[in-house]
């Protein structure tokens, strides 16, 4: 998407980027934010969305990507290296931090390429800096060369160390020499002009055996080098100069190594800037409830509850869109009613969305193809070009008309303003009609009634208004699509105390057509308010009906469940009675001595047994019916390979392997079994476990060791020892996994807990909690078996 700089300025995009950049952790991220441009195509935009979403998903599941505090941009440093051929140790240290971090990021993202293929887009720009990192390892964390940077440097520094010790001993001897010590202002040696000296009192200048090297700030005392130390000072200075020369030689060599990889280093800096920018966008998304818009291949946008980010908490959410049922939306209403804010809010959301950023709008917002965005907003009067406000607008709009196409979005503020109302309105209508014929997306604001009438009548054009509360004389900033706005000028004047006679004369001065237009709009607003109230009442009634319906269904379910329980109990009791009666009858028959009587008793028992079997069969049929009613067959749910099912009466789940008519082959744990269709129920998607439950020996919860620990609110020094001790106890107690609750905060404690997990040998895995487990606020720790 292309956008003119003037449109960027009108929409104050830089100020919004500045708000986003405050969440960046480095100046590299800030530079990446200000350098971001809209995507060139919908495919490019989809790739940006996928990359951002993948990194967010990774951070939520695996934790933060590697990071280095105190990162600085190395672009100016590399430019300086091109000119001077030498960089300082501190500058080379910054480069080492950057390329070392880029290698860590490459390693982490590279290991996740199978799950997140889009990561290849980032890691392809990170070169292998192993040799460069090794070369720069001769620099310590303060930017100073280690002694081991070269044999010569090591030898020189050892010599300098010996000379310092010799100088210290000689100086100490002089200080303790009575004749010399009385001449000194201070009993210490001081380095001045690379020479070891003493601060001598003014009255002893001619007596002190040495040479003046420098004067004190006040000029009253002088620094003098003792004659006895001239030779050793010369030797010390010579060694120091040799050390500096050797250091510069090494730094030049290191700089030359870095210069060979300038392009790769700059690419690595861009990748790190992108990672930091994504971190800032994620924070903005989390803290301000921004969302990623759904992408469409149509020329369209629809933003739900959109808010202008520069208004902060004062922003009123609005729904605004264009391109679906109409191509042009004309917003009308009084001054300071929020028309321009609505225009800017839509423009900001389009530009941020096309940058691949989250937008300040609610979920369900849609963003389609917008090849160019043009804006004519605000007072563009040009003193340099001697153009009036109207002339500046006309010049700008003329350029827009020459470039706008069917995939363009044009924002026009106060269309037809700044000149004669009649001519301005006619020109505004002509501009809208021209853009309508080119099928351009247009958002325009106006006061002119003729333009309102055009918007009401013209095809592919819709009207909207900003709501105005006539009782408080203040705007509500809500957008009412389908209804043009009233100017409310006479109404406001009357409310503010303008004489009634003046108001009446003003009404007479307006021609009848305009009066009828205002009356029509007023009537529409009145009907809308009435319909809105009735709609709210209907909605409340529907909610109440839904609540009553749910209560009724819940009670029916409870009654059915109680009924089933009572029947089951009755069946069980009846079967027990039957079995007891049968056993008693058998016992009595055994005790009968008469064969005839025994035979008759057995016949009677068989008759009763037949009745008993009917009772038992009736209970079985009721249980079978209960199972069948819960089955996929009863609910007419067609099962297919891969579906997750439950064998009715069990708690476990199984996976469908093959459908064989009325029998289904399922995988239940390690076994494959055929189950009748009327014995299976389809498991809803939300109830399907993420992974099949493994067969494992259950260990009873150990006494005294809980399954989670809370360290939220503690400092790192307080929390880490506690967590370390707890993990050891939990592992020895037999837990498979435990939860560490560290809270969200700035993520410092979370990172330290995860670092502890990484270096704990019996921890096999640690992840952030899921959406229902506490998210960023907890870490789930799994132990080795």
């Amino acid at each position: 998407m292309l956008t003119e700089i003037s449109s960027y300025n009108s929409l104050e995009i830089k100020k919004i980027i500045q708000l986003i950049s405050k969440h960046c952790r480095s100046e590299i991220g800030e530079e990446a934010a200000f350098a971001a441009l809209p995507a060139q195509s919908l495919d490019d935009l989809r790739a940006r969305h996928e990359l951002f979403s993948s990194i967010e998903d990774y951070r939520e599941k695996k934790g933060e990507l590697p990071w280095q505090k105190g990162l600085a941009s190395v672009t100016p440093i590399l430019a300086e290296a091109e000119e001077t051929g030498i960089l300082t140790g501190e500058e080379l240290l910054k480069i080492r931090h950057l390329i070392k971090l880029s290698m860590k990021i490459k390693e982490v993202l590279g290991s996740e390429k199978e799950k997140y293929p889009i990561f290849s887009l980032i890691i392809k720009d990170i070169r292998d800096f192993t040799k460069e990192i090794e070369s720069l390892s001769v620099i310590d964390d303060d930017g100073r060369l280690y002694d081991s940077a070269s044999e010569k440097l090591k030898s020189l520094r050892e010599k300098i160390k010996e000379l310092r010790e010799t100088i210290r001993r000689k100086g100490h001897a002089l200080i303790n020499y009575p004749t010399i010590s009385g001449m000194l202002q201070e009993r210490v040696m001081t380095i001045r002009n690379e020479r070891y000296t003493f601060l001598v009192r003014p009255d002893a200048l001619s007596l002190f055996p040495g040479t003046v090297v420098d004067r004190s700030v006040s000029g009253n005392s002088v620094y003098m080098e003792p004659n006895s130390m001239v030779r050793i000072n010369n030797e010390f200075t010579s060694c120091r100069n040799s050390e500096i020369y050797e250091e510069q030689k090494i730094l030049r060599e290191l700089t030359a190594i870095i210069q060979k990889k300038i392009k790769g280093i700059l690419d690595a800096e861009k990748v790190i800037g992108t990672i930091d920018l994504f971190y800032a966008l994620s924070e903005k998304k989390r803290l301000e409830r921004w969302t990623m818009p759904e992408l469409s291949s149509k020329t369209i946008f629809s933003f739900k509850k959109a808010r202008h980010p520069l208004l902060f908490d004062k922003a009123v959410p609005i729904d605004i869109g264009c391109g679906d049922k109409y191509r042009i939306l004309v917003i009308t209403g009084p001054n300071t009613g929020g028309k321009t804010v609505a225009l800017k809010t839509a423009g900001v959301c389009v530009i941020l969305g096309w940058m691949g950023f989250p937008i300040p709008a609610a979920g369900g917002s849609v963003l389609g193809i917008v090849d160019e965005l043009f804006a004519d907003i605000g007072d563009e009067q040009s003193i340099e070009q001697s153009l009036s406000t109207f002339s500046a607008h006309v010049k700008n709009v003329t350029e827009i008309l020459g470039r706008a196409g069917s995939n363009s979005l044009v924002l026009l503020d106060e269309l037809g303003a700044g000149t004669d109302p009649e001519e301005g309105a006619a020109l505004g209508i002509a501009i809208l009609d021209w853009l309508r014929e080119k099928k351009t997306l247009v958002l325009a604001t106006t006061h002119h009634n003729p333009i309102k009438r055009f918007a009401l009548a013209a095809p592919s054009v819709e009207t909207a208004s900003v709501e105005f509360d006539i009782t408080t004389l203040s705007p509500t900033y809500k957008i009412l699509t389908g209804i043009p706005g009233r100017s409310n000028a006479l109404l406001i004047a009357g409310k503010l105390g303008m004489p009634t006679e003046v108001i009446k004369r003003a009404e007479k001065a307006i021609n009848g057509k305009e009066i009828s237009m205002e009356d029509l709009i007023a009537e529409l607003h009145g009907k809308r308010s009435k319909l809105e109230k009735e709609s709210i009442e209907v909605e409340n009634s529907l909610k109440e009906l839904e609540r009553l319906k749910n209560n009724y269904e819940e009670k029916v379910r409870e009654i059915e469940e109680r009924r089933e329980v009572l029947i089951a109990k009755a069946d069980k009791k009846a079967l027990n009675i039957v079995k007891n009666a049968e056993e008693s009858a058998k016992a009595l028959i055994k005790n009968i001595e008469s064969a005839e009587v025994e035979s008759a008793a057995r016949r009677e028992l068989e008759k009763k047994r037949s009745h008993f079997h009917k009772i038992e069969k009736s209970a079985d049929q009721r249980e079978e019916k209960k199972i069948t009613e819960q089955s996929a067959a009863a609910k007419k749910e067609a099962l297919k390979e891969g579906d997750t099912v439950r064998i009715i009466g069990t708690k476990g789940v199984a996976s469908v392997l093959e459908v064989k008519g009325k029998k289904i082959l399922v995988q239940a744990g390690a076994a494959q079994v055929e189950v009748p269709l009327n014995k299976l129920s389809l498991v809803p998607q939300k109830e399907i476990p993420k992974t099949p439950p493994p067969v494992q020996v259950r260990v009873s919860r150990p006494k005294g060791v809980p399954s989670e620990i809370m360290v939220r609110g503690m400092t790192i020094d307080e929390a880490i020892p506690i967590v370390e001790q707890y993990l050891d106890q939990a592992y020895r107690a037999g837990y498979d996994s435990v939860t560490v609750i560290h809270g969200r905060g700035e993520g410092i404690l979370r990172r330290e807990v995860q670092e502890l997990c990484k270096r704990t040998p019996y921890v096999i895995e640690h992840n952030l909690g899921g959406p229902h487990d506490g998210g960023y606020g907890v870490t789930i720790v799994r132990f080795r078996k």
Side-chain angles (χ1 to χ4, degrees):
M1 184 183 80
L2 298 176
T3 306
E4 295 290 325
I5 293 177
S6 59
S7 300
Y8 260 63
N9 294 337
S10 296
L11 296 171
E12 301 176 287
I13 298 299
K14 282 188 177 180
K15 290 183 180 179
I16 296 165
I17 297 296
Q18 193 170 12
L19 293 179
I20 295 171
S21 69
K22 288 181 179 179
H23 296 285
C24 291
R25 296 164 293 181
S26 69
E27 65 179 38
I28 300 175
E30 293 174 5
E31 289 175 4
F34 283 103
L37 294 173
Q40 295 299 307
S41 66
L42 189 60
D43 288 341
D44 181 16
L45 182 57
R46 289 189 195 279
R48 294 189 189 190
H49 273 230
E50 186 183 352
L51 182 58
F52 177 75
S53 300
S54 296
I55 287 180
E56 267 212 315
D57 187 64
Y58 174 88
R59 289 176 61 222
E60 185 171 343
K61 292 177 179 176
K62 303 278 187 176
E64 291 296 342
L65 288 166
W67 191 250
Q68 171 71 48
K69 291 181 180 179
L71 273 183
S73 174
V74 300
T75 302
I77 295 174
L78 294 173
E80 182 186 342
E82 287 290 301
E83 292 181 9
T84 63
I86 184 170
L87 296 174
T88 65
E90 290 84 355
E91 290 169 336
L92 288 168
L93 179 63
K94 290 177 182 178
I95 294 174
R96 189 182 76 189
H97 284 328
L98 186 135
I99 60 177
K100 196 171 182 180
L101 175 61
S102 73
M103 291 286 286
K104 288 181 181 177
I105 290 173
K106 182 175 183 176
E107 182 183 355
V108 170
L109 296 185
S111 66
E112 299 289 333
K113 274 196 302 182
E114 286 189 12
K115 187 174 182 182
Y116 306 103
I118 194 69
F119 284 172
S120 301
L121 199 66
I122 278 190
I123 61 178
K124 70 179 178 61
D125 289 331
I126 302 178
R127 315 294 197 277
D128 184 359
F129 296 111
T130 306
K131 291 182 180 178
E132 287 72 25
I133 292 171
E134 187 177 349
S135 297
L136 295 175
S137 63
V138 298
I139 301 173
D140 67 16
D141 291 339
D142 294 322
R144 191 170 183 269
L145 288 169
Y146 283 116
D147 294 351
S148 57
S150 76
E151 285 298 323
K152 186 174 181 180
L153 184 64
K154 182 179 180 182
S155 174
L156 284 168
R157 286 185 175 173
E158 286 175 353
K159 180 67 174 174
I160 289 170
K161 186 177 179 182
E162 291 173 6
L163 289 172
R164 277 203 182 100
E165 182 59 27
T166 303
I167 291 170
R168 188 191 67 78
R169 286 198 305 270
K170 285 197 172 190
H172 188 68
L174 284 172
I175 289 172
N176 291 325
Y177 195 72
T179 308
I180 298 297
S181 63
M183 302 179 189
L184 302 180
Q185 188 84 14
E186 296 175 355
R187 292 171 59 84
V188 292
M189 276 193 300
T190 307
I191 296 178
R192 305 294 284 194
N193 299 332
E194 297 296 325
R195 320 271 307 172
Y196 280 89
T197 62
F198 292 98
L199 188 61
V200 179
R201 294 200 333 261
D203 58 343
L205 290 180
S206 58
L207 301 175
F208 187 84
T211 307
V212 175
V213 174
D214 197 6
R215 288 188 174 275
S216 65
V217 176
S218 63
N220 294 327
S221 302
V222 293
Y223 292 93
M224 298 186 71
E225 178 185 18
N227 293 331
S228 61
M229 292 179 65
V230 171
R231 184 191 60 78
I232 197 167
N233 261 341
N234 288 340
E235 190 176 355
F236 174 79
T237 302
S238 176
C239 283
R240 276 289 295 128
N241 290 337
S242 296
E243 180 193 21
I244 292 168
Y245 179 82
E246 180 64 17
E247 286 177 346
Q248 288 183 338
K249 179 188 170 186
I250 296 169
L251 292 174
R252 284 185 185 279
E253 290 172 355
L254 294 175
T255 302
I257 292 171
I258 292 302
Q259 283 180 298
K260 293 176 183 177
K261 285 287 188 80
I262 283 182
K263 186 178 185 308
I265 295 170
L266 292 176
D267 287 344
E269 181 174 291
K270 286 180 182 177
V271 170
I272 290 171
T274 300
I275 296 293
D276 197 19
L277 173 57
F278 280 1
Y279 174 86
L281 291 172
S282 293
E283 288 299 292
K284 197 72 175 172
K285 182 169 175 272
R286 179 177 65 86
L287 296 171
E288 313 254 344
R289 303 186 307 281
W290 288 19
T291 62
M292 296 299 286
E294 299 171 13
L295 300 181
S296 170
S297 56
K298 299 177 181 178
T299 305
I300 186 176
F301 67 85
S302 175
F303 302 127
K304 309 293 184 185
K305 296 186 179 356
R307 310 172 305 279
H308 198 292
L310 295 181
L311 294 179
F312 304 102
D313 294 338
K314 295 179 181 178
V316 176
I318 61 171
D319 292 347
I320 189 167
C322 198
D324 185 11
K325 297 178 181 178
Y326 47 86
R327 304 291 291 180
I328 298 176
L329 181 65
V330 179
I331 306 173
T332 57
N335 284 330
T336 69
K339 301 190 302 297
T340 303
V341 171
L343 211 65
K344 287 186 173 183
T345 301
V348 165
C349 287
V350 168
I351 290 178
L352 291 182
W354 265 88
M355 284 180 170
F357 292 3
I359 61 173
S365 297
V366 177
L367 178 61
I369 294 175
V370 179
D371 288 345
E372 306 96 9
L373 185 146
F374 304 103
D376 182 65
I377 299 174
D379 188 355
E380 299 293 335
Q381 184 167 342
S382 172
I383 297 174
E384 292 85 355
Q385 298 179 28
S386 301
L387 296 176
S388 67
T389 302
F390 178 72
S391 299
H393 281 302
V394 169
K395 185 175 181 296
N396 194 18
V397 172
T398 301
E399 291 177 2
I400 292 172
L401 293 178
R403 297 174 59 185
S406 58
N407 289 339
S408 302
L409 170 61
V410 176
L411 308 177
L412 300 173
D413 189 29
E414 296 299 349
L415 189 60
T419 187
D420 175 75
E422 190 172 343
E423 290 184 357
L427 184 59
I429 291 170
I431 290 169
L432 291 179
D433 202 36
W434 173 280
L435 293 171
R436 182 180 66 84
E437 288 178 357
K438 296 178 80 171
K439 297 183 179 179
T440 304
L441 286 187
V442 181
L443 288 184
T445 67
T446 188
H447 283 100
H448 295 303
N449 279 340
I451 297 179
K452 297 177 190 177
R453 285 195 295 271
F454 168 79
L456 285 169
S460 299
V461 184
E462 183 59 278
T463 60
S465 59
V466 285
E467 191 177 48
F468 190 84
D469 189 337
I470 59 174
T471 57
T472 62
L473 297 182
S474 60
T476 65
Y477 301 106
K478 292 181 181 177
I479 300 292
L480 307 174
T481 304
I483 302 176
R486 300 179 63 189
S487 67
N488 292 311
L490 299 183
L491 179 65
I492 293 171
K495 290 276 187 179
L496 293 176
M498 183 75 71
T500 306
E501 185 60 32
V502 174
I503 300 296
K504 288 181 178 178
R505 290 187 184 187
E507 289 173 348
K508 288 179 182 179
I510 303 174
N511 62 59
K513 193 173 184 181
E514 295 296 322
I515 284 287
S516 62
M517 180 69 182
E518 286 293 313
D519 290 343
L520 174 62
I521 292 172
E523 186 178 347
L524 284 173
H525 277 277
K527 288 182 177 179
R528 183 202 60 79
S529 297
K530 185 178 179 182
L531 285 172
E532 199 173 67
K533 289 178 183 177
E534 291 176 354
S535 176
I536 292 171
E537 290 175 2
V538 169
E539 189 176 339
N540 290 335
S541 298
L542 289 173
K543 286 180 181 178
E544 180 63 18
L545 284 172
E546 185 67 22
R547 187 186 66 80
L548 292 172
K549 177 187 171 187
N550 291 338
N551 286 345
Y552 170 75
E553 290 176 349
E554 183 64 30
K555 289 189 181 297
V556 169
R557 278 195 297 272
E558 288 176 3
I559 291 169
E560 285 294 327
E561 287 173 3
R562 283 201 297 269
R563 177 175 170 274
E564 292 294 335
V565 169
L566 289 173
I567 291 173
K569 285 182 178 178
D571 285 341
K572 187 176 180 181
K573 189 174 181 181
L575 290 173
N576 287 334
I577 292 170
V578 167
K579 287 179 181 178
N580 291 335
E582 188 174 1
E583 293 298 325
S584 299
K586 285 179 181 178
L588 287 171
I589 289 170
K590 284 182 182 179
N591 295 327
I592 295 174
E593 296 179 357
S594 169
E596 186 179 342
V597 174
E598 182 184 351
S599 177
R602 288 188 180 281
R603 285 195 300 273
E604 188 62 28
L605 177 59
E606 285 301 320
K607 288 181 184 178
K608 296 297 182 185
R609 183 178 286 161
S610 175
H611 179 64
F612 295 159
H613 286 167
K614 285 182 182 178
I615 294 173
E616 191 173 8
K617 185 178 180 182
S618 176
D620 290 342
Q621 285 175 344
R622 275 195 293 272
E623 185 63 27
E624 186 72 22
K625 182 182 177 184
K626 181 180 176 183
I627 291 172
T628 304
E629 285 174 351
Q630 299 174 29
S631 71
K635 296 178 181 178
K636 296 181 179 180
E637 295 171 332
L639 298 182
K640 61 183 183 298
E641 185 180 334
D643 281 345
T644 302
V645 293
R646 180 177 283 112
I647 301 172
I648 299 171
T650 68
K651 294 183 178 180
V653 296
S655 180
V656 174
L657 297 177
E658 186 181 352
V659 179
K660 300 179 176 181
K662 293 186 178 180
K663 288 196 173 183
I664 310 294
L665 180 65
V666 299
Q667 181 84 42
Q672 293 184 6
V673 292
E674 280 192 358
V675 184
L677 181 60
N678 60 3
K679 293 288 194 299
L680 295 174
S681 64
L682 185 64
V683 178
Q685 189 69 30
K686 62 183 179 181
E687 295 180 18
I688 298 175
K690 292 182 180 178
T691 55
V695 179
Q696 53 184 222
V697 179
R698 292 188 176 275
V699 179
S700 59
R701 180 176 294 177
K703 295 180 180 179
V705 182
S707 62
E708 62 183 31
I709 186 170
M710 167 80 78
V711 292
R712 184 170 57 205
M714 296 185 186
T715 65
I716 292 172
D717 293 336
E718 293 169 344
I720 295 304
I722 294 172
V723 175
E724 189 171 13
Q725 183 182 12
Y726 168 73
L727 292 179
D728 182 65
Q729 291 174 345
Y731 175 69
R732 286 188 286 104
Y735 276 108
D736 291 328
S737 66
V738 293
T739 302
V740 179
I741 304 170
H742 42 63
R744 292 172 179 264
E746 296 180 1
I748 298 171
L749 185 54
R750 178 181 71 232
R751 287 193 289 273
E752 291 297 327
V753 168
Q754 292 178 348
E755 284 298 321
L756 172 63
C757 292
K758 286 179 185 176
R759 61 177 183 265
T760 302
Y762 47 80
V763 172
I764 191 171
E765 186 182 17
H766 62 279
N767 297 307
L768 293 173
H772 302 294
D773 300 325
Y776 289 149
V778 305
T779 293
I780 309 296
V781 183
R782 302 190 188 282
F783 299 117
R784 294 184 185 277
K785 302 293 182 187

